[in-house]
Amino acid sequence: MSKPSEPATELAEEDRRVVAVFDFDGTLTRRDSLLPFLWHVAGPARFVWNALVLLPTLLRYAVGILENGPAKERVLGQFLAGKPTGEIRAVAKSFAAERVPSLLDPEAIRRLRWHQEQGHMTVLVTASPELYVQPWAEAEGFDRALGTRLETKEGVFTGQFSTPNCHGPEKTRRLEAEGPDLRGATIYAYGNSRGDRELLDMADQGFYRSFGDPQGDPRETDPEESEESAGLPEGWQRGLLYSIVGGAGLYLGLTLWSGADQIWQGLRAVSPLTLAGLLLLVLAGYLVRFGRWHGYLRHLGETVSWRNNLKAFLSSFALTATPGKAGESVKAYFLKRSSNVDPARSLAGLFAERFTDVFSVVLVICVGLFSLPQGWWIVLGIGGVQVAGIALLQRPRWVRRAVLLPVAGWATARRWVRPVDTMLSDTSALLRPHVLLRGILLGGLPWIGEGVTMYVIFDALGAEAIALHEAILIHAAATLFGAVTFLPGGLGGHEAASVSLSILYGATRPVAVVATVLIRLLTLWFAVLIGVLATHVFRASGTNST
């Protein structure tokens, strides 16, 4: 990376003081520091458990119902409330010394060192907890470090803030109240989000996501607009919330229909250890699907880093509970932002994903149907339709002549012709025999894994009449039925098919309901949770608000 240009420092008065004020997360660091700190404090197992407990808080924050400050206070309270201050301060000090250096942005640190070499006063103002920011800042030679302070009583953390969250206007208030005397000083300020807006506005030289030429406009991009665009668009946020509320209502209805006592007994029959193992199996399936998705983009010539691609891929899971999983197209939006990938190419990859998913699910169903009388006739019929679809998509010129050329003359449709043509060509490339075969294989393994998950649940609930291939068939058929209903996440359709087929194959009504609810929690809603957390990480690493 080239050395950043040094700011102009020839002042009208030689004795005029210079104060350089830095934000921390996303400015001095390349990513958010709070989650790594909490992982450092709790360890992997406790971190995952606390994340599950905090799910309602995280969902409310993700969709914009809960503001940054209260959300952060609840998160820190879950991890730190009741912990001895001496113990946590020691952990925070080790985190500052051992972990923070790996998070730092080298260009930002060069700019910090430049200010210090010039004899400028340097101040850190951040929404991150002073608990670990202050020892790091002292070690790095900052003159002052201001952050969010945590309340303690009788030697333990209470889980609450002792100061307001140091974000937005609170940054300038704290700087003026507890920072150096700014009267007559030249102020340099560095930030990366709308939480730094007021800080940048008060500076003589404000740098927004930049350490370069101070003559340029540091606020050329609106911090508020940039941070909002890094999360889920507003309409999709509302859709996510409606899906969650709808799902909760549906499962409440199923519980009342089958009897709450019987449902509770069934849920207790599945041990936490079994559920943890099943979650790992489902997660492995997601990673297989990511391998297929990453391979699609590489096949189209897009050299996206696997980290950026994984963040976009997992973030899209937040919108899994949409009709036909169409909301997962948001990964095209994330990849455009992070890696400048043509959305038409991402959408081609998404179409190939959906096509091979349907093919894989139908293939799994067909294997199960062979056990039924005359089932092979159904298999042949379904197979014929899929082969015809592949043949059509292998001839994009037919679609161009039949659809694109006629509409190219319409003024309203003309601007869509080129992107659709690009997507059509890329989709055709992804459905070539060798790519298609690999996609079907990688698509089928996760569905089989989820079917095995369904079988383990049946077995734990005592439904011994249902064989492995029948459990796989039940889950695959319910998934396909839910998809063709085009309801958000297949809600209602999937559950109805799953319960009905489970009873048909020998399960009692309570067992069928418990198995259906559990498989949906382990697949659909587990994916949504991963997506919400990944969206937060994506936003934190790109446009952090601290």
Side-chain angles (χ1 to χ4, degrees), residues 38-39 42-56 58 75 78-79 83 271-273 275-276 279 526 529 533:
L38 296 178
W39 182 282
R46 192 67 188 174
F47 181 91
V48 172
W49 171 254
N50 285 338
L52 291 173
V53 172
L54 288 165
L55 177 58
L58 297 173
V75 169
Q78 177 65 31
F79 279 85
K83 301 286 187 182
S271 71
L273 186 60
L275 290 176
L279 281 175
F526 179 50
L529 171 61
L533 295 176

Side-chain angles (χ1 to χ4, degrees), residues 208-491:
Y208 177 66
R209 297 192 194 171
S210 168
F211 302 98
D213 185 2
Q215 303 305 318
D217 183 3
R219 292 173 293 277
E220 188 176 46
T221 303
D222 187 343
E224 182 171 1
E225 176 185 337
S226 179
E227 182 174 338
E228 288 176 350
S229 65
L232 295 176
E234 184 179 352
W236 286 339
Q237 291 178 4
R238 288 196 300 270
L240 171 60
L241 184 60
Y242 293 155
S243 297
I244 293 169
V245 172
L250 173 64
Y251 300 145
L252 176 61
L254 284 172
T255 300
L256 295 175
W257 176 62
S258 294
D261 290 341
Q262 291 178 301
I263 296 298
W264 176 242
Q265 290 175 6
L267 290 173
R268 293 180 62 185
V270 185
S271 71
L273 186 60
T274 299
L275 290 176
L278 295 178
L279 281 175
L280 290 176
L281 179 59
V282 172
L283 182 60
Y286 295 156
L287 295 178
V288 170
R289 288 184 176 126
F290 169 70
R292 178 184 59 177
W293 166 255
H294 194 62
Y296 282 159
L297 292 187
R298 295 295 293 270
H299 187 77
L300 294 176
E302 296 290 346
T303 55
V304 186
S305 76
W306 71 266
R307 290 183 179 85
N308 283 341
N309 202 7
L310 181 61
K311 283 191 291 185
F313 180 80
L314 294 179
S315 296
S316 71
F317 282 11
L319 297 174
T320 294
T322 50
K325 297 185 179 181
E328 289 189 11
S329 61
V330 74
K331 58 191 167 197
Y333 165 83
F334 285 128
L335 285 172
K336 175 64 177 175
R337 285 183 49 80
S338 67
S339 306
N340 199 32
V341 176
D342 184 350
R345 294 208 143 173
S346 295
L347 292 176
L350 181 68
F351 181 85
E353 268 194 323
R354 290 296 163 268
F355 187 89
T356 51
D357 274 344
V358 171
F359 200 107
S360 300
V361 169
V362 172
L363 192 61
V364 170
I365 293 173
C366 288
V367 172
L369 287 176
F370 269 115
S371 64
L372 298 178
Q374 305 300 319
W376 64 282
W377 284 108
I378 303 174
V379 172
L380 288 177
I382 294 173
V385 171
Q386 290 199 308
V387 170
I390 294 172
L392 179 63
L393 289 169
Q394 286 298 306
R395 299 292 184 272
R397 63 179 180 274
W398 293 355
V399 181
R400 289 192 188 98
R401 292 172 183 171
V403 180
L404 295 184
L405 289 179
V407 304
W410 301 353
T412 55
R414 190 175 301 136
R415 66 192 183 97
W416 298 105
V417 170
R418 184 177 295 277
V420 171
D421 187 45
T422 299
M423 187 178 72
L424 188 63
S425 298
D426 288 341
T427 301
S428 177
L430 294 177
L431 296 181
R432 299 292 182 196
H434 67 286
V435 183
L436 176 63
L437 184 61
R438 185 168 63 246
I440 292 171
L441 175 62
L442 293 178
L445 289 175
W447 291 119
I448 294 173
E450 291 183 9
V452 171
T453 299
M454 187 81 167
Y455 173 72
V456 173
I457 293 171
F458 279 133
D459 185 63
L461 295 173
E464 298 176 358
I466 299 179
L468 175 59
H469 71 278
E470 292 171 337
I472 295 173
L473 172 62
I474 289 170
H475 179 63
T479 299
L480 186 61
F481 184 77
V484 299
T485 62
F486 277 92
L487 293 168
L491 284 172

Side-chain angles (χ1 to χ4, degrees), residues 258 262 458 461 463 466 499 502-503 505-514:
S258 294
Q262 291 178 301
F458 279 133
L461 295 173
I466 299 179
V499 170
S502 298
I503 294 173
Y505 278 96
T508 63
R509 181 194 293 180
V511 166
V513 170
V514 171

